[in-house]
């Protein structure tokens, strides 16, 4: 899938709120939502965007391509976190659930425990004798 069609598809899914249970939820309430129930939050762990708008990145770095934008208050499913580029006092980046994209943890309040990606996706090498005895 091309980057353009992937971005358009992701934006459409975000706008429709189709990823609410496992990924990205729509942030803006409907125009006549006074009587409507609040949007259901994704399964834990999830995060709530605190910035007025937050770029969704291809990789955990501000040098990486922006692939979408989340608005303040958007609830997003979080898969795991990594230490990566320092952003305003925070070195964590969250991998979004359901799509291979990243957001800076600096601008997301998480609900639930978000595991490190190395713990969520272990390899045979993680606990190997060779790895445990290696330097660095």
């Amino acid at each position: 899938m091309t980057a353009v069609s992937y971005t358009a598809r992701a934006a459409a899914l975000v706008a429709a709120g189709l990823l609410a249970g496992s990924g990205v939820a729509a942030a803006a309430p409907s125009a006549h939502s006074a009587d409507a129930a609040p949007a259901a939050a994704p399964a834990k762990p999830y995060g709530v965007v605190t910035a007025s708008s937050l770029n969704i990145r291809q990789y955990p770095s501000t040098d990486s391509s922006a692939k979408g934008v989340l608005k303040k208050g958007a609830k997003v499913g979080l898969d795991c976190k990594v230490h990566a580029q320092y952003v305003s006092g925070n070195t964590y980046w969250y991998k979004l659930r359901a799509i291979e994209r990243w957001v800076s943890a600096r601008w997301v309040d998480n609900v639930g425990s978000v595991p490190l990606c190395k713990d969520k996706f272990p390899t045979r090498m993680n606990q190997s004798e060779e790895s445990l005895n290696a330097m660095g």
Side-chain angles (χ1 to χ4, degrees):
M1 188 177 295
T2 66
V4 172
S5 63
Y6 181 86
T7 302
R9 182 173 168 253
L13 290 172
V14 168
L18 295 178
L19 297 175
S22 63
V24 181
S30 64
H32 38 55
S33 63
D35 297 329
K44 289 182 182 179
Y46 69 91
V48 180
V49 176
T50 61
S52 59
S53 63
L54 177 63
N55 283 320
I56 300 171
R57 302 278 183 180
Q58 184 171 8
Y59 302 107
S61 168
T62 59
D63 293 332
S64 180
S65 301
K67 298 297 183 180
V69 174
L70 294 169
K71 299 296 181 195
K72 185 173 187 162
K75 295 176 182 170
V76 293
L78 304 175
D79 194 25
C80 59
K81 63 186 174 185
V82 296
H83 281 288
Q85 183 184 22
Y86 178 91
V87 176
S88 298
N90 194 318
T91 61
Y92 282 111
W93 285 72
Y94 292 131
K95 181 182 164 295
L96 299 178
R97 218 176 312 148
I99 58 175
E100 285 288 321
R101 298 293 183 242
W102 299 85
V103 293
S104 171
R106 169 61 181 94
W107 307 110
V108 177
D109 285 341
N110 67 305
V111 177
S113 178
V114 182
L116 290 170
C117 291
K118 73 176 188 73
D119 295 331
K120 183 158 177 83
F121 303 107
T123 67
R124 284 184 272 172
M125 182 58 95
N126 285 6
Q127 296 301 316
S128 71
E129 186 69 29
E130 181 182 13
S131 177
L132 294 172
N133 292 325
M135 301 298 287

